Amino acid sequence: MNEIVAGLLRLVLRVVVLAMGVVLFLSLLAAVLVLALVWALRAAWARLTGKPVTPWVMRMDPRSGFSTAFRSTQRWSTGGHRGAPGAPASGDGVVDEPAAQHRGGILPGAAQVTDVEARDVR
């Protein structure tokens, strides 16, 4: 009796896994067919109106992400932060901090922190 139940469970499991695979395949196929239909309609409309058929392109250069992030860190590390009350500031309200604006030096805005004491890293 155990062999019959185990055999039926294996069969049901195989059928369920096969059905899940078929559903996944058909859903991906449907998505591809919808995209192909949209592309064909777009191309037909472009030909009908006399415009050139333009391909779908990625309008953002993937390499520009790095330069955007790099420029963002450069902007934040150039200093120019407003000073806290009592912090040494120049005439325009900008804190005069040392020129060490790289990772090994003093962070911009460190003079504004009052609730911690700086110590050397061991």
Side-chain angles (χ1 to χ4, degrees):
M1 188 68 168
N2 284 340
E3 293 177 17
I4 295 174
V5 172
L8 280 176
L9 279 176
R10 277 194 300 263
L11 180 64
V12 167
L13 185 62
R14 286 181 183 171
V15 168
V16 167
V17 169
L18 181 67
M20 288 174 30
V22 168
V23 166
L24 178 66
F25 172 74
L26 290 177
S27 63
L28 289 175
L29 183 65
V32 168
L33 289 176
V34 166
L35 283 175
L37 179 66
V38 168
W39 172 253
L41 288 174
R42 187 173 172 260
W45 181 256
R47 287 184 188 258
L48 186 66
T49 58
K51 297 179 181 177
V53 179
T54 57
W56 282 335
V57 295
M58 187 172 169
R59 299 204 192 290
M60 182 194 80
D61 183 15
R63 295 170 291 189
S64 69
F66 176 78
S67 62
T68 302
F70 184 73
R71 278 183 281 138
S72 174
T73 59
Q74 291 297 317
R75 181 183 58 164
W76 288 107
S77 66
T78 57
H81 300 284
R82 296 275 173 200
S90 60
D92 60 352
V94 176
V95 176
D96 293 328
E97 294 181 351
Q101 296 165 348
H102 52 354
R103 277 199 169 252
I106 299 173
L107 295 175
Q112 298 173 354
V113 179
T114 59
D115 60 343
V116 295
E117 291 183 20
R119 61 181 175 87
D120 292 334
V121 179
R122 293 187 231 178

